[in-house]
């Protein structure tokens, strides 16, 4: 049903009130109910018209919004009611032409069949200009294949705006939003990206998880003149660049970065302005600030608090460049101006960072003035890697002596801080008012961004918010309870013997624990796996004894496995006070087996005992393409015993040479390994194999009668510490640098060899 002429009728009704408007234009508002009606409407559209999509679900709708409005009379594509037009299935939106406006749509429960969900172009030559997308939602609109690459928003053309949109839950590979500068028609574009809510983006575990990228290295000597302001970046954790700036002349102003891993990286391009931004790390791992590379970058009046990031991911990083750098390496920092920034309880400021044989061009003609550094930490927050005489320091203040404390213009003054009404910390001492950010800096609030009518996600633990259900050891009761459970629930198992005949599929976060401890509950199972974690699932197991004795006599059983094939939603596996015994009916029986294109945010094993196992405890080596992809961000094992394990405790593999990730991380402490890794099928030949892991900490363990722990450093700046362990009839740990001729950086100390 169409309402062509609807606006004309309204004009009649409003005729007396708006004579001028009606007299100058017969704007039409056309309500369309289906795709055929949309096609008809768009083919007849005139400047000033609005096409209204009827409320409801629009499935498999590739919207080509190609038309030409005028500055006075844009053409609008709107929802009948904002938020009640939901585009699902294989759908997308392409804008082409001038003065177009799109508003009120929700993209959910689907993915784009093309390379972008929203594209400001139809073809390479049909671009959108002077066009605007506002109050549009893209929520978990992901290609089901995790490694399939697409953008959610690709901006082309010139003078476009993207504002008050809500982008949440991108989980497959690909930058969330890209400003693409691939032709003359998209350079010097004066786009405006403002008041958007960039909602949580989970850790990708590979390259291509940036939230915003402007330009590419090939066009990085060109100006983009894009303004990015008043946006809220909420836990945008995809990879180590939150924003990857790869062009010149851009402005990043007034944005808030909340608990987001990574940095605003001035990767390529010069002459950019970064001002009035606020970073709240709250001490979360790898939260960073601003990384400065290239010439003429201006960093003014930015506030960084509680940023825990280090090295290239620090709160403020000024890089060394490469002399006569090729376009895709590192151009020297020249004429950088870094003034009136506040760095509060942020762990690391890095100057001349990345200094090495290649990156030998130190920062020059630069200035740091009127900045304020306040830290309650014991360590010196500054690290100076090379000659910084090319940075002129003037009128900076810090609360404790540092590597820069002897500089004449780096005053050290103890200070007390108070939080002002704008939520930011300032020194109480009014004599220090000129240092750091201005009093009137007003961080944008989350609710001022995105669409007011679309809820923003809260922070909560995966395993909370559900109910507790008692489960008795009767036949089928556990399987039935799992099927009946909801996200965040806990199943409490009464004492007794549980015999499980089917694979238990975990499709949401679920806790399974005993009422009376691991000795009270014994679970046997009869299939090749007891649990299969499926997309959306997470599992916590507490206080259970699980035996593999009744499993089929076949190779490659597991106690827990992930679903075969891609999982978009990162899972967690938490194990506490578990007894795992007799995974040995046949060979290669693992505790956990994962599939390619699956990713754990966290795998934890605490206070648990494992004995008589023919495979690996954690087999995390499914990503064997060497694309820099891996299977788990954190593996933490604490206070646990492993006895007679023929495979490795962990076979943790991240291959390739890409440097876009903070992880993987591995931590083993207070545990006992006896006879782990001696099986003939253990290809690693190691008790523990960590390959390409970025952070490895092995402390306070006893390892007996086992082959060596092997640590393979590939790329990045791996941090390996093996401290205070006892090795009995076990060779010393081996650390190998696979891509560097330099001596490895591992710290192996205070270990006892018997
Ligand atoms: Ca990257």
């Amino acid at each position: 049903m169409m309402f062509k002429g609807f606006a004309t009728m309204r004009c009649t009704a409003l005729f007396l009130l708006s004579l001028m408007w009606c007299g100058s234009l017969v704007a039409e508002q056309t309500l369309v109910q289906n795709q055929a009606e949309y096609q008809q409407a768009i083919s007849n559209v005139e400047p000033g018209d609005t096409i209204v999509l009827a409320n409801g679900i629009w499935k498999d709708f590739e919207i080509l919004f190609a038309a030409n409005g005028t500055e006075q009379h844009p053409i609008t594509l709107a929802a009948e009611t904002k938020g009640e037009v939901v585009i699902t299935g294989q759908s997308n939106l392409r804008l082409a032409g001038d003065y177009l406006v799109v508003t009120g749509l929700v993209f959910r429960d689907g993915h784009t069949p093309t390379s972008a969900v929203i594209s400001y172009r139809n073809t390479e030559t049909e671009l959108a200009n002077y066009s605007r997308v506002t109050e549009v939602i893209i929520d978990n609109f992901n290609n089901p294949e995790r490694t399939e690459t697409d953008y959610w928003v690709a901006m082309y053309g010139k003078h476009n705006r993207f504002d008050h949109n809500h982008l949440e839950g991108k989980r497959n590979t690909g930058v969330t939003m890209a400003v693409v500068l691939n032709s003359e028609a998209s350079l010097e574009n004066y786009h405006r990206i403002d008041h958007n809510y960039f909602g949580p983006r989970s850790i990708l575990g590979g390259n291509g998880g940036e939230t915003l990228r402007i330009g590419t290295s090939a066009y990085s000597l060109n100006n983009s003149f894009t303004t990015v302001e008043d946006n809220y970046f909420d836990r945008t954790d995809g990879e180590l660049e939150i924003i990857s700036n790869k062009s010149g002349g851009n402005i990043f102003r007034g944005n808030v970065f909340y608990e987001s891993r990574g940095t605003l990286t001035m990767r390529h391009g010069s002459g950019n302005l970064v001002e009035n931004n606020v970073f709240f790390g709250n001490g979360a791992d790898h939260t960073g600030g601003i990384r400065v590379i290239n010439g003429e970058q201006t960093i003014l009046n930015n506030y960084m608090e509680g940023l825990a990031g280090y090295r290239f991911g620090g709160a403020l990083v000024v890089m060394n460049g490469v002399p006569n750098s090729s376009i895709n390496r590192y151009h020297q920092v020249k004429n950088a101006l870094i003034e009136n920034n506040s760095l509060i309880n942020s762990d690391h400021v890095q100057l001349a960072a990345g200094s090495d044989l290649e990156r030998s061009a130190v920062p020059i003609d630069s200035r740091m003035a009127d900045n304020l550094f306040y830290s309650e930490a014991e360590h010196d927050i500054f690290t100076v890697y090379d000659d910084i005489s090319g940075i002129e320091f003037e009128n900076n203040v810090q609360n404790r002596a540092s590597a820069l404390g002897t500089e004449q213009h780096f005053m050290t003054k103890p200070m007390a801080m108070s939080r002002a009404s704008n939520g930011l910390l300032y020194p109480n001492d009014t004599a220090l008012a000129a240092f750091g950010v201005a009093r009137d800096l007003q961080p944008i609030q989350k609710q001022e961004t995105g669409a007011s009518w679309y809820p923003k996600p809260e922070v909560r633990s995966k395993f909370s918010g559900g109910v507790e259900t008692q489960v008795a050891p009767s036949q089928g009761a556990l399987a039935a309870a799992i099927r009946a459970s909801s996200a965040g629930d806990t199943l409490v198992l009464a004492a007794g013997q549980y015999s499980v005949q089917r694979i238990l599929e975990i499709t949401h976060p679920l806790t399974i624990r005993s009422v009376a401890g691991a000795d009270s509950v014994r679970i046997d199972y009869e299939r090749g796996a007891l649990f299969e974690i499926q997309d959306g699932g997470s599992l916590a197991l507490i206080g259970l004894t699980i035996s593999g004795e009744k499993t089929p006599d076949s190779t490659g059983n597991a106690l827990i496995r992930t679903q075969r094939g891609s999982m978009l939603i990162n899972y967690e596996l938490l194990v506490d006070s578990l007894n795992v015994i007799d995974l040995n009916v046949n060979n290669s029986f693992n505790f956990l087996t994962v599939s390619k294109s699956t990713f754990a945010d966290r795998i934890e094993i605490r206070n648990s005992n494992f004995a008589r196992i023919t495979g690996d405890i954690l087999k995390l080596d499914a990503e064997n393409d060497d694309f820099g992809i891996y299977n788990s961000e954190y593996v933490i094992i604490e206070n646990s015993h492993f006895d007679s394990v023929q495979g490795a405790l962990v076979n943790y593999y991240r291959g390739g040479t890409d440097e876009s990730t903070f992880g993987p991380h591995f931590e083993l402490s207070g545990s006992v390994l006896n006879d782990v890794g001696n099986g003939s099928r253990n290809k690693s030949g190691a008790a523990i194999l960590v390959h390409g892991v970025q952070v490895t900490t092995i402390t306070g363990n006893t390892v007996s009668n086992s082959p060596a722990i092997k640590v393979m450093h590939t790329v990045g700046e791996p941090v390996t510490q093996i401290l205070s362990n006892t090795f009995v009839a076990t060779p010393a740990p081996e650390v190998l640098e696979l891509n560097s001729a330099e001596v490895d950086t591992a710290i192996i100390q205070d270990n006892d060899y018997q």
Side-chain angles (χ1 to χ4, degrees):
M1 183 164 59
M2 293 182 68
F3 286 96
K4 287 221 69 152
F6 172 79
T8 314
M9 289 190 291
R10 192 178 64 183
C11 270
T12 310
L14 297 173
F15 184 72
L16 293 173
L17 292 174
S18 49
L19 185 64
M20 293 290 289
W21 179 69
C22 285
S24 66
L25 178 80
V26 184
E28 295 198 358
Q29 186 156 325
T30 307
L31 180 69
V32 298
Q33 301 283 353
N34 55 48
Q35 292 190 37
E37 289 183 6
Y38 172 78
Q39 301 306 348
Q40 195 179 343
I42 189 70
S43 61
N44 294 322
V45 79
E46 300 283 345
D49 288 357
T50 296
I51 299 174
V52 179
L53 300 184
N55 289 347
I57 307 291
W58 294 70
K59 189 159 187 284
D60 299 334
F61 188 14
E62 294 192 50
I63 308 170
L64 176 58
F65 188 41
N68 282 295
T70 66
E71 186 170 7
Q72 301 305 319
H73 303 293
I75 297 171
T76 301
L77 175 65
E80 183 181 3
T81 307
K82 284 174 181 176
E84 292 186 25
V85 172
V86 180
I87 319 277
T88 70
Q90 295 208 23
S91 299
N92 59 24
L93 167 66
R94 282 166 293 163
L95 297 87
D98 293 349
Y99 298 105
L100 305 172
V101 177
V102 178
T103 185
L105 311 181
V106 177
F107 288 85
R108 203 169 55 205
D109 302 326
H111 67 274
T112 179
T114 59
S115 60
V117 180
I118 298 175
S119 180
Y120 285 72
R121 73 171 191 185
N122 179 26
T123 64
E124 282 188 19
T125 53
E126 295 171 68
L127 310 182
N129 298 294
Y130 303 100
S131 292
R132 178 179 182 198
V133 173
T134 183
E135 293 191 81
V136 168
I137 314 300
I138 307 179
D139 184 351
N140 282 281
F141 203 72
N142 294 310
N143 193 293
E145 284 298 329
R146 188 180 181 97
T147 56
E148 198 67 50
T149 301
D150 55 36
Y151 300 138
W152 274 7
V153 183
M155 261 182 142
Y156 300 88
K158 298 188 185 195
H159 302 282
N160 293 314
R161 187 174 178 202
F162 186 78
D163 67 282
H164 293 90
N165 301 291
H166 174 127
L167 308 182
E168 175 192 345
K170 189 167 200 304
R171 300 175 191 276
N172 64 318
T173 306
V175 178
T176 307
M177 175 166 190
V179 175
V180 186
L181 310 180
N182 61 352
S183 74
E184 196 62 40
S186 294
L187 302 177
E188 305 201 352
N189 52 60
Y190 298 93
H191 295 322
R192 189 157 173 240
I193 299 168
D194 63 284
H195 294 90
N196 298 292
Y197 175 70
F198 291 98
R201 175 154 195 186
S202 54
I203 298 169
L204 180 63
N207 190 16
E210 303 90 344
T211 293
L212 176 61
R213 192 186 71 214
I214 303 182
T216 51
S217 59
Y219 283 83
S220 62
L221 301 183
N222 294 94
N223 286 320
S224 184
F225 296 133
T226 298
T227 296
V228 178
E229 67 184 341
D230 295 332
N231 300 286
Y232 197 93
F233 294 83
D234 186 6
R235 292 163 282 160
T236 48
D237 292 339
E239 61 144 271
L240 52 76
E241 294 175 316
I242 305 169
I243 298 179
S244 183
N245 182 74
K246 294 187 169 178
S247 51
N250 299 312
I251 297 171
F252 300 89
R253 180 194 288 136
N255 303 287
V256 168
F257 299 83
Y258 180 81
E259 290 185 12
S260 293
R261 292 161 67 111
T263 59
L264 195 183
T265 305
M266 316 309 288
R267 185 65 189 86
H268 297 298
S270 58
N272 298 286
L273 171 63
V274 180
E275 67 173 352
N276 302 355
N277 299 286
V278 172
F279 296 76
F280 291 119
N282 291 335
D285 265 13
H286 302 296
T287 46
I290 300 166
R291 185 172 160 217
V292 182
I293 308 162
N294 310 291
E296 287 77 38
Q297 313 287 30
T298 301
I299 316 296
L300 296 182
N301 205 47
N302 298 285
Y303 180 91
M304 293 101 141
E305 183 181 346
L307 302 180
Y310 55 86
R311 296 194 171 165
F312 292 179
L316 176 63
V317 180
V318 180
M319 294 281 294
N320 258 19
V322 174
N324 305 310
S325 175
S326 63
I327 199 161
N328 63 349
R329 290 301 292 159
Y330 289 83
H331 287 265
Q332 186 174 28
V333 172
K334 280 184 212 171
N335 296 316
L337 196 62
I338 301 174
E339 291 186 351
N340 282 107
N341 302 286
S342 292
L343 286 101
I344 312 288
N345 287 323
S346 290
D347 289 345
H348 294 283
V349 175
Q350 314 262 294
L351 302 177
S355 170
D356 59 18
L357 290 175
E358 185 207 16
R359 282 182 296 231
S360 60
V362 298
I364 57 169
D365 301 331
S366 295
R367 180 178 151 86
M368 284 179 72
D370 304 313
N371 298 291
L372 181 143
F373 299 88
Y374 175 82
S375 174
E376 288 163 12
E378 292 298 322
H379 72 273
D380 187 348
I381 63 169
F382 292 94
T383 314
V384 178
Y385 292 90
D386 205 332
D387 175 16
I388 53 166
S389 61
I391 304 175
E392 178 195 7
F393 293 91
E394 193 171 358
N395 270 338
N396 299 285
V397 67
Q398 60 186 0
N399 68 317
R400 61 172 69 211
S402 73
L404 297 175
T406 55
E407 290 281 341
Q408 190 185 349
H409 296 290
F410 223 100
M411 178 172 65
T412 301
K413 196 173 190 321
M415 52 185 110
M417 309 287 285
S418 296
R419 205 169 286 282
S421 59
N422 62 0
L424 310 183
L425 285 168
Y426 293 88
N428 295 344
D429 185 350
T430 51
L432 299 177
F435 297 92
V437 296
R439 283 270 169 182
D440 63 0
L441 177 57
Q442 205 51 255
I444 189 99
Q445 300 297 303
K446 185 159 77 169
Q447 65 270 22
E448 296 174 88
T449 63
S452 57
W453 41 266
Y454 201 83
K456 297 178 176 65
E458 295 305 317
V459 187
R460 75 177 179 92
S461 156
K462 278 183 190 287
F463 294 101
S464 65
V467 298
E468 278 196 8
T469 304
Q470 311 297 318
V471 181
S474 55
Q475 191 61 49
L478 178 56
I482 290 172
R483 274 199 303 270
S485 68
S486 301
D489 284 0
T490 298
L491 305 183
V492 182
L493 274 53
Q497 296 217 4
Y498 292 73
S499 178
V500 177
Q501 294 174 319
R502 63 187 69 232
I503 295 171
L504 303 173
E505 295 170 349
I506 306 298
T507 57
H508 47 247
L510 185 67
T511 300
I512 301 176
R513 67 173 175 84
S514 62
V515 72
D519 294 334
S520 71
V521 166
R522 176 180 164 123
I523 302 175
D524 287 276
Y525 61 106
E526 300 177 6
R527 296 293 308 276
L530 175 59
F531 296 106
E532 179 171 292
I533 299 175
Q534 300 192 343
D535 207 11
S538 278
L539 184 60
L541 299 174
I542 304 168
L544 311 168
T545 295
I546 305 175
S547 165
E549 211 180 318
K550 304 262 171 70
T551 57
D553 181 7
S554 57
T555 300
N557 289 346
L559 199 156
I560 304 167
R561 72 183 190 207
T562 61
Q563 74 177 39
R564 314 257 191 243
S566 173
M567 279 168 65
L568 284 170
I569 301 176
N570 296 356
Y571 67 96
E572 292 182 30
L573 173 62
L574 309 181
V575 164
D576 199 343
S577 307
L578 217 62
N579 288 331
V580 175
I581 53 173
D582 300 322
L583 307 187
N584 59 1
V585 295
N586 202 315
N587 64 62
S588 308
F589 194 154
N590 302 320
F591 174 67
L592 173 68
T593 301
V594 301
S595 299
K596 255 172 112 77
S597 298
T598 68
F599 191 78
D601 273 333
R602 185 172 290 274
I603 295 171
E604 296 184 4
I605 296 175
R606 299 182 197 277
N607 312 313
S608 294
N609 299 300
F610 294 74
R612 301 180 299 279
I613 289 162
T614 60
D616 299 332
I617 302 299
L618 302 176
K619 185 168 168 59
L620 300 170
D621 63 348
E623 298 297 348
N624 49 17
D625 295 320
D626 292 348
F627 292 158
I629 301 173
Y630 50 103
N631 290 121
S632 181
E633 185 66 15
Y634 292 90
V635 170
I636 298 168
I637 301 173
E638 187 186 79
N639 189 35
S640 294
H641 283 64
F642 303 90
D643 197 21
S644 300
V645 177
Q646 293 182 26
L649 171 61
V650 175
N651 195 336
Y652 203 174
Y653 188 86
R654 180 203 190 274
T657 54
D658 182 76
E659 299 188 34
S660 299
T661 67
F662 291 116
H665 303 71
F666 177 65
E667 192 180 320
L668 172 68
S669 64
S671 294
V672 175
L673 284 67
N674 179 50
D675 183 20
V676 173
N678 288 313
S680 58
R681 286 188 167 80
N682 179 17
K683 284 192 203 124
S684 73
I688 295 169
L689 177 70
V690 289
H691 180 115
V693 171
Q694 292 297 298
V695 184
T696 300
T697 310
I698 299 175
T699 56
N701 306 286
T702 299
V703 184
S704 313
N705 307 307
S706 299
I709 293 170
K710 291 186 184 170
V711 178
M712 310 288 189
H713 286 175
T714 55
V715 288
E717 296 185 85
V719 181
T720 296
Q721 297 187 67
I722 303 179
L723 308 173
S724 307
N725 302 284
T726 302
F727 295 98
V728 181
T730 297
E734 296 172 15
V735 179
L736 262 161
E737 292 290 339
L738 298 183
N739 295 311
S740 166
E742 291 174 35
V743 177
D744 75 72
T745 54
I747 300 170
I748 304 181
Q749 282 172 5
D750 302 327
N751 298 294
D752 186 19
Y753 300 93
Q754 299 173 3

